[in-house]
Amino acid sequence: MLVTGGGRGIGEAVARGLTARGLAVTVFARTAAELDRVVASGGAALAVAGDVSREADVARLVEAHQARLGPCDLLVNDAGVLVRGEVDALDPARWRECLEVNLTGAFLCARAVVPGMKARRRGRIVSVASISATLGTPGASAYNASKWGLVGFTKCLAEELRPHGVQAVAVSPGSTATAMLQQTPFAPAMTPDEVARVVIFAALDAPAALTGANLEVFG
Ligand SMILES: NC(=O)c1ccc[n+]([C@@H]2O[C@H](COP(=O)([O-])OP(=O)(O)OC[C@H]3O[C@@H](n4cnc5c(N)ncnc54)[C@H](OP(=O)(O)O)[C@@H]3O)[C@@H](O)[C@H]2O)c1
């Protein structure tokens, strides 16, 4: 099981929840110290540090997971960044960073695990989008576009994978008490554990018929 963004926040809660269900989880993010803390405290089996927007890092992640823990039957695309700024003041480099991490990162990770899932006719990809995807919010165009894109990506992926017995689902949380939310004016409506329970439902418990869904979690 791979959880990107597993070093803190929602991703950490997902990794801990999956581990508590007896699964061998690899956590992936850029900050090695946070990943090591999750592994050392029993929240995951393996830590791999890297950047989801870099193809070579993603390849290294999947290779390490397969070598140490076996085939990857679950990918949770949780890694994300919040970029804020009104359109006329937004640096194009920041716009690109947001799309690269939140959207292209999920594509690269899915692309790396899909061949094995297809071959085994088994697997799920759960991507953490946001209720922001469908809401207009001043100063959040890059973030909202990346998350709306992630929902669209998930729906296409679900249709591509349907004949292969593999599912793709998006989970779109509202305001969740994490480091990311502290960069916004919004009050938390729920804890990372509450969102993680929905992600884990989508990953392990939901019927295959849920494929292509976007589960909104308002708190
Ligand atoms: N908190 C909310 O209210 C909320 C609401 C809706 C959706 N979400 C989504 O939920 C997901 C988790 O967010 P969170 O609230 O838990 O935020 P968070 O605490 O800031 O966690 C984000 C995680 O993503 C990792 N990450 C960021 N950029 C990365 C990159 N380039 N490569 C690999 N890992 C990267 C971070 O680690 P490093 O920085 O060490 O790489 C961290 O582990 C995000 O996709 C976010 O957009 C959050």
Side-chain angles (χ1 to χ4, degrees), residues 16-212:
R16 290 189 185 283
L18 292 171
T19 301
R21 295 273 295 261
L23 300 169
V25 176
T26 298
V27 282
F28 181 76
R30 294 165 302 178
T31 309
E34 291 186 343
L35 300 175
D36 291 343
R37 178 184 54 80
V38 174
V39 172
S41 57
L46 180 66
V48 176
D51 186 328
V52 280
S53 66
R54 293 193 186 153
E55 217 173 317
D57 288 7
V58 171
R60 186 167 47 77
L61 162 67
V62 175
E63 281 163 20
H65 178 83
Q66 286 173 349
R68 292 279 299 277
L69 303 177
C72 173
D73 286 333
L74 171 65
L75 164 67
V76 177
N77 282 317
D78 171 83
V81 289
L82 177 64
V83 166
R84 290 178 68 81
E86 297 205 354
V87 169
D88 51 349
L90 187 58
D91 182 343
R94 296 280 287 147
W95 167 278
R96 289 195 184 95
E97 177 200 349
C98 194
L99 273 288
E100 281 290 302
V101 174
N102 297 1
L103 184 52
T104 306
F107 157 71
L108 292 175
C109 291
R111 188 175 181 276
V113 298
V114 155
M117 290 179 175
K118 278 184 173 176
R120 294 186 299 278
R121 294 193 60 80
R122 173 187 169 85
R124 284 200 182 176
I125 297 172
V126 181
S127 296
V128 181
S130 172
I131 59 166
S132 296
T134 52
L135 302 173
T137 309
S141 60
Y143 183 77
N144 287 29
S146 73
K147 294 300 187 177
W148 202 205
L150 185 54
V151 172
F153 172 70
T154 299
K155 288 183 179 290
C156 294
L157 187 61
E159 297 313 316
E160 289 184 11
L161 297 178
R162 189 188 295 279
H164 301 279
V166 178
Q167 295 84 40
V169 175
V171 173
S172 286
S175 300
T176 310
T178 68
M180 182 182 285
L181 191 73
Q182 288 170 8
Q183 301 168 49
T184 76
F186 306 121
M190 59 201 145
T191 65
D193 279 339
E194 288 176 296
V195 178
R197 286 172 63 188
V198 178
V199 172
I200 291 166
F201 164 75
L204 302 182
D205 303 320
L210 195 74
T211 198

